[in-house]
Amino acid sequence: DLLRSLGVALTGGLLSSVPSAGAYPNAEPLSGTTDANKIVLQTSNYPTKYEGTSTSAVGRSPTETTASSSASSTMCVEDPAQDRITIFERTAPSVVFLDTFTERRDALTMNTMEVPLGTGSGFVWDDKGHIVTNYHVVRQAKSAQVAILTRVFEDDENSNGGARSSSSSRSNSRNRSLPTATTKPISTSGYGLASYRRKMYPANVVGVDPNKDIAVLKVDAPVYDLFPVDLGSSANIRVGQAALAIGNPFGLDHTLTAGIISGVGREVRSPTGQPISNVLQTDAAINPGNSGGPLLDGRTGQLLGMNTAIYSPSGASAGIGFAIPIDTVNQIATTLIRDGKIVRPILGISYLQSRQASALGITKGVLILEVPPKSNAERAGLKGTRRMDCGLIEIRDVIQQINDDVIENEADLFKALEKYRPGDRVKVTVGRLTSDDVGGNFQYQSKKVTVTLTLSSSESVNTGTLKFNNAN
């Protein structure tokens, strides 16, 4: 009665104006829910312009409240904890739990057995059943199972759960709210995860990109069980903005941790040793098992990146985690789904890693080990290292520059090549060592040589080289 007569709510000592029951003749009586931090007033029959959730209702009249298209009309003071809860409950069904398995031979019977290999995380990419995760989560697996949170319907409790029409599940938009259904979902605790249960599906490999540590799997799940994650953009991420990580650390499924974006533009190594650039750094706790899970915007819940690695002397979270940015994930995942493989430009040579080359006195550049016969590199005039008749190793070409990009190590080489496509022509500058035998003593001279080379193509690992046993 006091709320109806005054039409105001005291929240933490601040005055927040709310419409009274008598102010709108068509409105239903107000219902209030309280806790230590806020008073929430709800009605199902506010005029349209008062619908929605106000993020700054303090000191504002009802006519100043921002309109929203939300079906519910909850007005409350902004609560970061409630925002995290809302984002988690909306996004958790998009996060999957991965169990990987390998084969071992029994020492006594010599029979081949399937044994657990590890666990990881992933997220639903689309309503076709595509699941995105890290390549290193599945690279040694012979099979994998994906656990998805699926909705529980009333008719599931009363029958065997007959088929439902996928057309009523959701619209075709990628900005998805939770699916609607003709039957009411069962929930024992309001808007929570009580209306979901885990369901296991065998996974097939669609394609992988080891150089970017990205893999795309596919499960044969009905569309009403799939909740694609809401994609964001990593182009305008700023240090300090809130971030949330959801995953399965140490096998504890759907664990939420919170933090901030603590750095951008980082670089980590992929399983093949090639660099992954523009990686996000976060202090949200990431542990073994979080790999492949989503890093979310703490305000909107949109996907910012895919958790992939941590820096830790102990092996547990030390507050330094890394995520592949969503713009990179989006490009690679879309290509893998469409083509099943990634094609990248290469010089067509083999090289010696920088650590090994330094033992030979090569401190800058990339030493060419071998140039295949009849390759574009041989036609361009590049020369590899060789062993002379006397048994000594003759060092010849060291790559120093590609077009305008200076090459100091193999990481610089990979970054430079990412700018081009197979078939592009580039200028490669090498330092060529030549030797002269002067009285039994070899004297070396170095000179710069620039050649024009047509880039070849190299396909990443595809389903032909990584295929689960349960794949069709």
Side-chain angles (χ1 to χ4, degrees):
D1 293 335
L2 179 61
L3 291 175
R4 291 196 181 103
S5 61
L6 296 180
V8 298
L10 288 174
T11 306
L14 299 177
L15 184 63
S16 175
S17 298
V18 294
S20 64
Y24 310 106
N26 295 327
E28 294 180 356
L30 296 173
S31 60
T33 58
T34 65
D35 60 26
N37 298 319
K38 64 180 184 295
I39 297 177
V40 181
L41 301 180
Q42 295 180 326
T43 177
S44 60
N45 196 24
Y46 273 146
T48 303
K49 71 176 183 177
Y50 300 117
E51 292 181 354
T53 300
S54 172
T55 59
S56 57
V58 177
R60 296 177 59 184
S61 65
T63 56
E64 297 173 326
T65 305
T66 304
S68 170
S69 60
S70 172
S72 65
S73 51
T74 301
M75 303 178 63
C76 64
V77 176
E78 183 178 9
D79 183 356
Q82 185 59 47
D83 290 343
R84 289 193 294 269
I85 293 171
T86 301
I87 290 173
F88 173 75
E89 293 181 351
R90 186 178 70 229
T91 310
S94 302
V95 183
V96 303
F97 185 103
L98 271 75
D99 281 306
T100 56
F101 303 88
T102 188
E103 293 180 349
R104 291 182 183 173
R105 190 177 298 277
D106 186 272
L108 296 177
T109 65
M110 299 304 292
N111 293 330
T112 300
M113 301 181 302
E114 191 175 71
V115 296
L117 178 63
T119 61
S121 307
F123 48 88
V124 180
W125 185 256
D126 56 27
D127 57 10
K128 303 294 189 298
H130 292 110
I131 307 295
V132 177
T133 185
N134 282 137
Y135 166 70
H136 74 259
V137 172
V138 299
R139 64 174 171 173
Q140 295 179 334
K142 296 298 183 181
S143 63
Q145 287 186 334
V146 174
I148 297 178
L149 289 183
T150 63
R151 271 197 168 180
V152 180
F153 294 87
E154 286 182 349
D155 58 2
D156 288 334
E157 302 296 325
N158 301 325
S159 66
N160 292 327
R164 300 183 182 88
S165 172
S166 62
S167 62
S168 63
S169 297
R170 63 171 64 84
S171 66
N172 291 327
S173 170
R174 253 207 80 89
N175 293 327
R176 35 317 260 154
S177 57
L178 290 180
T180 58
T182 55
T183 56
K184 183 180 179 181
I186 296 174
S187 177
T188 60
S189 60
Y191 298 104
L193 297 181
S195 56
Y196 295 88
R197 66 183 176 192
R198 290 178 59 180
K199 188 173 182 180
M200 304 296 295
Y201 292 95
N204 298 330
V205 180
V206 173
V208 297
D209 183 7
N211 294 335
K212 296 298 181 182
D213 200 12
I214 296 173
V216 177
L217 312 179
K218 193 174 189 300
V219 295
D220 187 17
V223 67
Y224 51 76
D225 280 348
L226 298 170
F227 305 96
V229 69
D230 191 7
L231 300 187
S233 173
S234 53
N236 298 315
I237 293 178
R238 303 180 66 180
V239 173
Q241 73 180 73
L244 302 174
I246 304 178
N248 310 301
F250 303 108
L252 302 172
D253 64 298
H254 294 88
T255 297
L256 173 69
T257 56
I260 62 170
I261 299 295
S262 49
V264 295
R266 305 305 193 208
E267 183 177 289
V268 298
R269 295 279 178 157
S270 70
T272 62
Q274 296 195 19
I276 305 175
S277 304
N278 299 319
V279 171
L280 307 177
Q281 179 184 329
T282 180
D283 68 348
I286 297 175
N287 289 284
N290 274 108
S291 290
L295 184 69
L296 306 172
D297 189 316
R299 297 180 302 107
T300 65
Q302 291 183 321
L303 183 64
L304 297 182
M306 178 170 62
N307 301 319
T308 188
I310 60 173
Y311 177 79
S312 172
S314 65
S317 175
I320 302 178
F322 301 100
I324 303 173
I326 180 55
D327 291 350
T328 300
V329 175
N330 194 2
Q331 177 188 0
I332 299 300
T334 301
T335 303
L336 289 175
I337 292 172
R338 184 185 66 235
D339 303 329
K341 60 187 178 182
I342 299 293
V343 178
R344 287 193 171 89
I346 59 172
L347 296 176
I349 53 96
S350 61
Y351 65 90
L352 188 65
Q353 293 186 353
S354 298
R355 291 183 180 180
Q356 297 171 309
S358 62
L360 300 177
I362 308 298
T363 58
K364 290 185 177 181
V366 175
L367 174 62
I368 298 178
L369 277 182
E370 183 181 3
V371 178
K374 300 181 181 179
S375 65
N376 290 344
E378 184 187 54
R379 297 187 189 97
L382 294 180
K383 300 182 181 297
T385 302
R386 66 176 182 176
R387 186 178 295 274
M388 296 185 295
D389 294 337
C390 62
L392 297 177
I393 295 177
E394 182 183 16
I395 297 174
R396 293 198 280 185
D397 285 357
V398 178
I399 301 174
Q400 298 178 342
Q401 192 169 329
I402 294 181
N403 285 345
D404 296 328
D405 295 309
V406 177
I407 308 299
E408 294 191 354
N409 50 47
E410 60 268 22
D412 293 337
L413 177 62
F414 296 137
K415 289 180 184 178
L417 291 177
E418 283 185 352
K419 300 178 180 179
Y420 307 102
R421 297 180 179 179
D424 290 348
R425 294 175 62 83
V426 297
K427 292 183 177 181
V428 181
T429 301
V430 299
R432 179 164 296 170
L433 295 177
T434 58
S435 60
D436 295 323
D437 186 357
V438 180
N441 295 322
F442 288 95
Q443 297 180 353
Y444 292 90
Q445 296 179 348
S446 176
K447 63 178 180 178
K448 284 190 174 183
V449 177
T450 300
V451 301
T452 300
L453 182 147
T454 301
L455 295 175
S456 304
S457 63
S458 175
E459 297 181 2
S460 71
V461 179
N462 54 34
T463 55
T465 53
L466 176 61
K467 189 173 183 179
F468 293 154
N469 291 341
N470 57 358
N472 295 325

